[in-house]
Amino acid sequence: MTGRWPSWNVFLELTDLLSCPQCGPAHGLVLLVRESVEGRVRSGWLGCPNCRRDFPVEDGVVDLRLGPESRAAELQPLSDDELALKIVALSGLAQERGILIVGERLGHAAERIAELAPELEVVFVGSKLERVTEGQGVSRILSDAQLPFAEFRVRAMAIAPGGDPELVSAAARRVAPGGRLLLFDVHPEDREAARETGLTVVAEGEGIAVAKRDLDPVFRAR
Ligand SMILES: [Zn+2]
């Protein structure tokens, strides 16, 4: 192979967080790299040791969709000029190295987030590729199943549920102790779902809520 691949391939360390969309969050995926550059995967496969299904990584995009027809997202992308700035500020990761996951309706802010916080790896997860902008430090995952990530491992995730408590519960279960779930276009039932899943809502206003998972007392005592 000659030449340089674009820098928007998939972040290698991300694969530790991924889980099989068919078998659920307890089942991780094994990565087989075909082409990579500077710790980023350009192409390969993600395999589930449980159901033996393979998912492709092509042109730097992870495709974890289960069906040929992806379920179309019903809600429109969230319109907010300061969206990227708000996500970075509320994530608590502005100065830190880490992975920040952004959902379907926020994907258009991904590239700007990565520019504002160059140490962050921004991971888009959604059903349509046109909902995310390509950019350095942005990984893209296509998924029609609910959030293909391991539980209690994600440090920061931003979604816009718009009245989808089921999505909020699933997202909240992914948040690590000390981690945050940012909710945009949040409805009362969304906030309630975050609380019921063990998060504490630490700030809210203007259609935004920040929910946090407390550090486990055992973990904190160490
Ligand atoms: Zn599986």
Side-chain angles (χ1 to χ4, degrees):
M1 291 291 164
T2 54
R4 271 174 73 88
W5 293 112
S7 54
W8 48 75
N9 298 329
V10 179
F11 189 49
L12 195 58
E13 290 173 36
L14 170 64
T15 50
D16 289 347
L17 281 184
L18 292 175
S19 64
C20 177
Q22 183 157 277
C23 302
H27 298 275
L29 297 171
V30 178
L31 176 68
L32 244 162
V33 179
R34 192 168 55 200
E35 299 153 13
S36 77
V37 94
E38 293 166 5
R40 303 181 73 85
V41 185
R42 174 75 184 162
S43 70
W45 295 269
L46 284 158
C48 174
N50 189 48
C51 68
R52 309 249 160 213
R53 201 170 164 146
D54 281 334
F55 302 93
V57 183
E58 290 287 352
D59 295 330
V61 177
V62 180
D63 191 347
L64 297 181
R65 289 175 297 185
L66 292 171
E69 291 273 314
S70 178
R71 196 178 46 194
E74 289 160 23
L75 296 171
Q76 290 304 305
L78 197 72
S79 170
D80 181 341
D81 291 343
E82 294 184 316
L83 184 59
L85 204 61
K86 288 175 183 170
I87 291 175
V88 170
L90 296 173
S91 73
L93 296 177
Q95 310 295 332
E96 289 183 52
R97 215 175 154 270
I99 290 176
L100 170 71
I101 294 168
V102 296
E104 184 91 51
R105 298 178 68 202
L106 308 175
H108 55 294
E111 187 180 9
R112 184 77 188 118
I113 294 168
E115 283 169 11
L116 290 168
E119 296 297 309
L120 280 187
E121 177 67 22
V122 184
V123 178
F124 165 80
V125 60
S127 62
K128 291 180 187 168
L129 206 52
E130 60 264 33
R131 290 213 155 174
V132 63
T133 50
E134 289 178 351
Q136 194 158 3
V138 178
S139 292
R140 295 170 294 164
I141 300 171
L142 289 175
S143 175
D144 50 14
Q146 273 204 359
L147 301 172
F149 302 105
E151 294 190 326
F152 310 115
R153 295 278 306 279
V154 173
R155 285 194 60 197
M157 185 174 340
I159 58 172
D164 186 349
E166 210 177 302
L167 172 66
V168 175
S169 296
R173 276 198 303 275
R174 268 61 181 183
V175 175
R180 295 184 189 185
L181 177 62
L182 314 181
L183 301 168
F184 290 79
D185 187 16
V186 64
H187 293 199
E189 63 267 36
D190 298 326
R191 277 194 298 270
E192 197 46 44
R195 285 197 188 95
E196 281 172 5
T197 320
L199 304 193
T200 307
V201 176
V202 292
E204 57 184 303
E206 294 176 20
I208 304 172
V210 179
K212 218 174 156 181
R213 182 177 297 287
D214 289 338
L215 286 173
D216 177 345
V218 176
F219 183 78
R220 194 159 36 193
R222 272 184 211 157

